[in-house]
Amino acid sequence: MKKALVVGLVLLSVVSCNKETPVEKSISNYVQTSFQDPSSYEKISIAVLDTVTVAKKIKMIKDSGLTHEYFDNEPKDKFLYYTVSHKYRANNSFGALMIYDDIVSMDKDLKIIGSNSVDE
């Protein structure tokens, strides 16, 4: 009886840890609304690669004929987007199961704003 209880608790913890992250949920929503055959979709891997920002310049100073750029020391970078690696299997337009490897761009609300295939 104790063995069955322990196995049940282990299974429960595995199932409860299997929740989607916000990035995975965004990709799942995109798959359901954008793929021709969303039921064929199988996630292989999803990983956040980078957060892309742009530093803001605060002033330009000319000194002895040279121009110097100075940046504010406070973190005032402008957020542009996240880049996410997304590898998956899905049916193509002919119904053949294919493996795809994409780089997905997401805005600050994790809405997909672009996707590019990684050439192998």
Side-chain angles (χ1 to χ4, degrees), residues 55-60 69-72:
K56 291 184 179 180
K57 295 180 201 175
I58 60 167
K59 60 183 174 178
M60 301 286 285
E69 296 177 354
Y70 290 89
F71 295 89
D72 196 343

Side-chain angles (χ1 to χ4, degrees), residues 3-16:
K3 220 178 211 185
L5 181 61
V6 170
V7 170
L9 289 174
V10 169
L11 287 174
L12 181 62
S13 67
V14 168
V15 171
S16 65

Side-chain angles (χ1 to χ4, degrees), residues 5-50:
L5 181 61
V6 170
V7 170
L9 289 174
V10 169
L11 287 174
L12 181 62
S13 67
V14 168
V15 171
S16 65
C17 292
N18 205 11
K19 293 186 179 186
E20 286 184 319
T21 66
V23 170
E24 291 172 330
K25 188 172 183 173
S26 178
I27 288 175
S28 292
N29 290 338
Y30 179 77
V31 166
Q32 293 303 314
T33 59
S34 301
F35 280 29
Q36 288 182 345
D37 186 5
S39 64
S40 70
Y41 171 80
E42 299 173 44
K43 175 184 75 170
I44 296 173
S45 65
I46 295 174
V48 176
L49 299 176
D50 199 4

Side-chain angles (χ1 to χ4, degrees), residues 23 27 46-49 82-86 102-106:
V23 170
I27 288 175
I46 295 174
V48 176
L49 299 176
Y82 298 108
T83 55
V84 177
S85 169
H86 179 216
D102 296 341
I103 300 295
V104 178
S105 301
M106 296 183 170

